[in-house]
Amino acid sequence: MQILIYSYNYHPEPIGIAPLMTELAEGLVKRGHSVRVITGMPNYPQRQIYDGYRGKWYVTEEKNGVTIQRSYLRIKSKPNLVDRLLLELSFVFTSIPQALNGWRPDVILLTVPPLMVSLPAALLGCLYDCPVVLNVQDILPEAAIRVGLIRNKWMIRALETLEKFAYRTAHSISVIADGFVENLVKKGVSPSKIRCIPNWVDVNFIRPLPKKNNAWKKAHKLDDKFVVLYSGNIALTQGLETVVEAAARLRHIPKIVFAIAGESQALERLEKYCQTCGADNVVLLPLQPREQLPEMLAAADIGLIVQKSNVISFNMPSKIPLLLASGRAIIGSVPASGTAAKAIRKSGGGIVVKPESPEALAAAVMDLYTNPLKTEMLGKTGREFAVKRYSFEQALDQYEQLFVDAIANPALDLDILPKFTSSESPIDI
């Protein structure tokens, strides 16, 4: 197959969807497929174009057999809503020439967010007469509305219409959690159009490693400490203030240390909050190089998943498979009915506590600190689940089959303009 992947983020960006799409593209190449990726200039998480890519409109690269076609982005380091809109629009318009500059694909895989990219993807699907598979990583605009990022009613209506357009024009939709399926079905998407393919982890790369003689732990002066780790994106859906407040409640136990690794701007805010709370047992670290990820995860006794109480069925942290594969116990400070809580409980590799509750999080950490056998058992069970459910080869098989089915059965109602009945508002999702 000739597969075109439309992904705003890609290598060398270290977190989020970029590593996943990089692994997927390179895995498909290893199976004999031709893959080219349409993406933007690398900028995440600093929100600054990386050195070597600044001032350029287009860059085409080859890495591990994948053709990477990059295009210009209008980006601001501290974006407001208008800046975010212009960023998405810049990618929509500048990416089309790159998508047309190459071989005709048999199938297009589009990752969202950003949601606006569904417009050029639908157009390209028509021009190339090939199916578009929509890969939903976060459900927008619902996520942005729930966390208060978007409040303008007209903007909300426009984005809801765009969301419906994306679902209607896609041949198939892959989602990363069962809760996403329920969300989309409630919005009128046919269940036959949806497949749940969880995000994966390379269980050979991320694996249980000894805590003793851990180079990462030694380098950060965490030897002989009970390490509670949060690593990754620090966004509005997380609310890391809960972690800082929980740490402050446990600062009387010198052996317990909280380590938070994230992007620099977010760490600056957290550092001030640590000082306000007196949480001197929190170690703030920049995002770590990918090659150090196995040892960093192995240095932890507990891995944290943190969400705000209004994050229910539109977000699924990609770090859950990583923590499970590392063989470390998870504490999920997440909504009990949300997708993250369901995934943690199903794995048997962690416990779920009330979100935005420092007291509940501190109590859970204390429980595992005083029960090492329980902590060890959670980690072992989680590892076994990750190998069975989240292995990369299993996900690769599922995506390959999804593409084959889409190509073999193209005759679906994929009208570019949404159809609305007289009793249906075009914004009523």
Side-chain angles (χ1 to χ4, degrees), residues 83-144:
D83 291 327
R84 292 175 187 273
L85 178 63
L86 292 174
L87 169 60
E88 291 196 25
L89 284 171
S90 68
F91 184 54
V92 165
F93 287 106
T94 63
S95 64
I96 293 176
Q98 286 286 57
L100 294 171
N101 181 24
W103 39 253
R104 175 193 174 280
D106 298 310
V107 63
I108 297 171
L109 176 67
L110 167 68
T111 65
V112 293
L115 196 56
M116 275 191 191
V117 187
S118 61
L119 297 171
L123 175 63
L124 291 164
C126 288
L127 293 175
Y128 284 127
D129 190 25
C130 70
V132 175
V133 176
L134 184 66
N135 172 240
V136 179
Q137 292 288 326
D138 284 305
I139 296 179
L140 296 178
E142 189 172 339

Side-chain angles (χ1 to χ4, degrees), residues 223-416:
D223 280 335
D224 300 322
K225 298 293 185 181
F226 185 88
V227 179
V228 183
L229 174 69
Y230 179 92
S231 175
N233 190 28
I234 301 175
L236 290 174
T237 54
Q238 271 86 44
L240 267 290
E241 293 81 5
T242 299
V243 177
V244 173
E245 291 178 38
R249 283 168 166 76
L250 296 173
R251 63 181 182 270
H252 61 285
I253 305 175
K255 194 170 182 179
I256 298 179
V257 173
F258 286 70
I260 300 176
E263 57 268 35
S264 57
Q265 290 184 358
L267 292 181
E268 290 175 7
R269 296 193 300 269
L270 281 181
E271 184 176 15
K272 294 178 182 177
Y273 199 69
C274 287
Q275 293 172 355
T276 301
C277 297
D280 55 3
N281 55 344
V282 176
V283 178
L284 300 176
L285 303 167
L287 286 172
Q288 302 296 291
R290 181 165 176 76
E291 58 271 17
Q292 293 184 17
L293 189 56
E295 283 208 331
M296 179 183 72
L297 295 175
D301 293 273
I302 297 172
L304 294 180
I305 304 294
V306 186
Q307 292 178 330
K308 289 188 175 180
S309 56
N310 58 358
V311 181
I312 304 296
S313 59
F314 53 81
N315 177 270
M316 174 66 175
S318 59
K319 62 177 67 66
I320 290 179
L322 288 171
L323 291 173
L324 292 172
S326 71
R328 297 299 182 257
I330 293 175
I331 295 179
S333 173
V334 297
S337 60
T339 53
K342 291 176 183 177
I344 293 170
R345 290 197 195 98
K346 187 176 181 179
S347 73
I351 57 178
V352 175
V353 301
K354 183 181 178 181
E356 298 187 75
S357 171
E359 298 87 356
L361 180 55
V365 170
M366 195 64 192
D367 176 44
L368 295 186
Y369 172 68
T370 55
N371 291 279
L373 291 179
K374 179 180 179 180
T375 306
E376 183 181 352
M377 183 56 66
L378 288 172
K380 182 179 179 181
T381 304
R383 168 67 186 183
E384 292 172 353
F385 185 86
V387 171
K388 292 178 182 178
R389 188 76 174 93
Y390 292 130
S391 73
F392 177 50
E393 290 301 317
Q394 185 181 37
L396 202 54
D397 289 341
Q398 292 176 292
Y399 273 105
E400 213 172 16
Q401 189 60 53
L402 178 58
F403 297 153
V404 168
D405 292 345
I407 294 168
N409 302 284
L412 294 176
D413 181 11
L414 302 176
D415 296 334
I416 292 301

Side-chain angles (χ1 to χ4, degrees), residues 156-175:
I156 291 171
R157 290 178 178 180
L159 290 175
E160 288 176 341
T161 301
L162 185 58
E163 180 188 22
K164 175 168 277 192
F165 172 88
Y167 299 153
R168 184 182 293 277
T169 56
H171 178 286
S172 307
I173 302 172
S174 68
V175 297

